[in-house]
Structures are given as C-alpha cells and as structure tokens.
Amino acid sequence: MGKTGVAIIGCGAVFGIHADAVAKSGLAELIAVADINERTAEKAAARYNCDYYTDYREMLRDPSVQAVHICTPHYLHASMTIDALEAGKHVLTEKPVAISTREAVQMAEAAEACGKHLAVCFQNRFNPTSVKAREIIDSGLLGDIKGIRGIVTWHRDGDYYAESSWRGAKAKAGGGVLINQAIHTLDLMQWFGGEIESIRGHADTRCLRGIIEVDDTAEATIYFKNGARGIFYGTNCFTDNSPVLIDIHCEKGSLAIRDGELYMTRDGKRELLTCDQTATGEKAYWGLSHEKLINHFYECLLRGTADYISIADAAVSVGMIEGIYDSSVNGRDYIFGEQQILKSLTGQADSENIKPDI
Ligand SMILES: NC(=O)c1ccc[n+]([C@@H]2O[C@H](COP(=O)([O-])OP(=O)(O)OC[C@H]3O[C@@H](n4cnc5c(N)ncnc54)[C@H](O)[C@@H]3O)[C@@H](O)[C@H]2O)c1
C-alpha cells in the first residue's frame, strides 16, 4: 500500500513539527503546502521539496492529496476543515478544534456526512507520563479520583503577540492563555478526570492589558460527575516557561507529573514510574509527541479505525473554556449538562459512515 498523500495548510511556527513528523512517519508523504503568504509557502515547499499554493482551495483539488493538516489561526480551523472534508480529504487539525463548540458540531457533522476521518492534535496525550497516568487511573490501582490540579505558568510577551497578530485578537484566536496555551492541560484534566458536571472560573488580562484583547491569566474549579474536583490555574505572565504541573489525588495514593516525570505515591512511598523524552531548544515546551500523534493518525487511516482524538473528545476543552468565560462574566457556575451541543457530538467518533478508503 502506498503512502498517504498529505498537504499542510499554514506554514508558520508549528508547521515544521508537522512536516518533519510526516516525513519521519514512513506512512505518509508531503505533497503540497499552502499559505496565504506566498514567500512563506514558497520557502516551506523548497525546504520539503513539495508543491505550494497560496489558495488552499486550489490545493484541495489535487487528487493525490488524501489528508490535510490544518495549522492556521484558530478562527480558520472550522471553515478549512469543512472545505477539506467536502473535497474528500481526511483532516488532522491543530488544537483548539475550533473557537466554539458550535463550530465543532458543524465540523463533526461534515466529517460524518463526508465519511472522512477528522482528528485533533492534542499531542500531550501521547506523552509517556500521560499514557501511564491514564493506565493507572483506568486500572483502579489507586481507587477513585478525588481531585486533579493543573498549573501552567508560561511566558508570552508582546513580541510573541506581535509576531502573529491573530494570537491577541479575540475574534481570531477565540481567547488567550486558555485556548492557546493551557488548553492542553485542560484537555488532560478532563481526559484523566472523566465527564464534567460544571465549571466555575475567572479570566483576566493582567500583564498585557492594552496590548492584547484576550486573557493572559485564568483560574477555574472543575466539578466532575464522579465527585472529583479539579483546580486549574494558567498564566502567560510568568517570566519563564516553567514545566506544567499536574497532580491526581486518589483514594489510595496520588500521581504527580513534574518536569516531564510521573511519580506515584502509595503507602507513604514515592516512586518514579516513567518520564517523557526531553526536547531541547527554544520550542522544548511543545514536547516531542507530535511525531507519535501524527504517526498514529496515519496508522488509523491505513487500518480504517477511528481511535485517534476525535472531535467530540477534543471539543470538551473548548466547552470548558466557554464555561470559564461564561462564569467569569456572569458570576455563576456553568453547567455542562445544559450544554446540548457537546452531548450531540457524543458517539460520532466511531461513526460507521467513516470509510477506510486509503
Ligand atoms: N499542538 C501544539 O503544541 C501547538 C503549538 C503551536 C501552535 N499550535 C497551533 O497551530 C496553529 C498555528 O499556530 P502557529 O503558532 O503556527 O501560527 P502562525 O501565525 O505562526 O502561523 C499561521 C500560518 O497560517 C497562515 N495563514 C493564515 N491565514 C491563512 C489562509 N487563509 N490560508 C493559508 N494560510 C494562512 C499564516 O500566513 C501563517 O504562516 C494554531 O491553531 C495553534 O494553536 C499548536
């Protein structure tokens, strides 16, 4: 069986991670790239020896392109995904799946109608520490979860927002630290903790007031249906990109992710269970798991299975963010049970309409 033909839309900061992962996978081949900025597209194509376009819709007409990665600003994820699905392509979109759960529903409906695979890039779920933590939770070794703590203290200054102006614009990014940086931690918290009953939080702009329209600091309390409680804090106002902290407190012990290492404490003893491979360089905080996630996506296409991170699953973090904004403005708990939009997505991941046609 030949390699899956891939195209990437958006050749900015995250592009190289996707293009390198496609090249390394051995299951896929980069055919073309598209960027609205011709020089950016041309440079990317020269680096990876592929075709380039400035109009992604034109690229979608190429029959050798079978799957498309969306690496563009958040507000474009939904429309580009739907265009690609309707052109008969499978899609892997960068996080967040969209800037609202309403858009996520439209994307899920398009994937179902077109019978194509649609996956979302939450690569941190592929970190060895995340995989092991989830395995231990599922095994029941530590009993039920009582609480989860997630803390993200990173540094993003005015230069970061000036580099790509969409990042600080509410209509284009959909939010700030919550939707762009801390969404990975919110996603892991719900992945570990289970279904959410309600959320209450606050979002604010502290250090970049007057520079960006979006939040740079936020906190929340998450009430899970199983009775567990989540405590979240995220900010882009720290002076450094410090490692994300996650604690999972269970009936018979606890798990802690610290500096890319997973520790379990049980009967008063603390042991190191596993660690993530360390990334180096400027973008080290993005981790190394894009490669694993992208390779897994192409394995799924070959097998015709849908055990990638589905839109229904990935939209939960977008719902959490909507909930934090809603409660921040209205001063009340945001009830997930009332959010029919998310409920309507449930079950679409394993749709029988998806065709294993690669
Ligand atoms: N998973 C992760 O850890 C991770 C890390 C970084 C970025 N991201 C995500 O990747 C996406 C892109 O982020 P980025 O930092 O690379 O952004 P960026 O601004 O650096 O790059 C975006 C690119 O999209 C191009 N673009 C804009 N409109 C376009 C259009 N209509 N057609 C074609 N190209 C268009 C821009 O010219 C730019 O080159 C975002 O969703 C972001 O959240 C994910």
Side-chain angles (χ1 to χ4, degrees), residues 41-206:
E42 192 179 3
K43 261 175 72 181
R47 183 170 154 205
Y48 290 95
N49 193 24
C50 64
D51 294 338
Y52 78 87
Y53 297 80
T54 51
D55 180 351
Y56 74 92
R57 290 189 184 87
E58 209 184 305
M59 181 172 76
L60 294 178
R61 286 191 213 114
D62 181 345
S64 61
V65 171
Q66 295 158 295
V68 176
H69 295 214
I70 313 283
C71 296
T72 50
H74 302 166
Y75 73 108
L76 295 169
H77 291 187
S79 56
M80 287 180 166
T81 293
I82 293 169
D83 285 344
L85 290 166
E86 287 177 350
K89 318 298 182 190
H90 301 294
V91 176
L92 172 64
T93 180
E94 259 298 351
K95 45 56 61 169
V97 57
I99 59 174
S100 68
T101 46
R102 190 172 301 275
E103 281 188 348
V105 171
Q106 290 163 357
M107 293 160 83
E109 285 168 355
E112 183 139 289
C114 299
K116 292 291 160 188
H117 292 277
L118 169 54
V120 184
C121 192
F122 273 125
Q123 77 277 3
N124 291 344
R125 287 202 202 175
F126 285 73
N127 294 348
T129 49
S130 307
V131 172
K132 188 74 187 168
R134 176 68 196 248
E135 196 184 294
I136 290 182
I137 293 165
D138 289 348
S139 76
L141 180 71
L142 298 179
D144 290 341
I145 296 179
K146 293 170 76 177
I148 303 188
R149 186 168 73 125
I151 297 179
V152 185
T153 53
W154 283 359
H155 177 74
R156 295 291 184 280
D157 56 17
D159 291 348
Y160 165 81
Y161 289 98
E163 191 180 271
S164 288
S165 61
W166 66 267
R167 292 175 183 154
K170 179 79 176 165
K172 293 187 172 179
V177 65
L178 278 171
I179 204 162
N180 209 346
Q181 285 77 35
I183 193 168
H184 289 288
T185 303
L186 292 170
D187 176 64
L188 287 178
M189 289 176 80
Q190 68 87 24
W191 193 52
F192 294 143
E195 279 191 71
I196 295 171
E197 178 77 39
S198 63
I199 191 163
R200 183 173 187 133
H202 184 75
D204 199 1
T205 314
R206 301 269 169 86

Side-chain angles (χ1 to χ4, degrees), residues 234-250:
T235 186
N236 275 343
C237 295
F238 191 45
T239 46
D240 196 9
N241 290 309
S242 59
V244 171
L245 308 181
I246 296 181
D247 287 302
I248 305 163
H249 174 215
C250 304

Side-chain angles (χ1 to χ4, degrees), residues 8 10-19 70-72 94 121 123 167 283 286 290:
I8 302 178
C11 305
V14 85
F15 162 79
I17 291 181
H18 282 253
I70 313 283
C71 296
T72 50
E94 259 298 351
C121 192
Q123 77 277 3
R167 292 175 183 154
K283 302 281 161 72
W286 285 353
H290 265 98

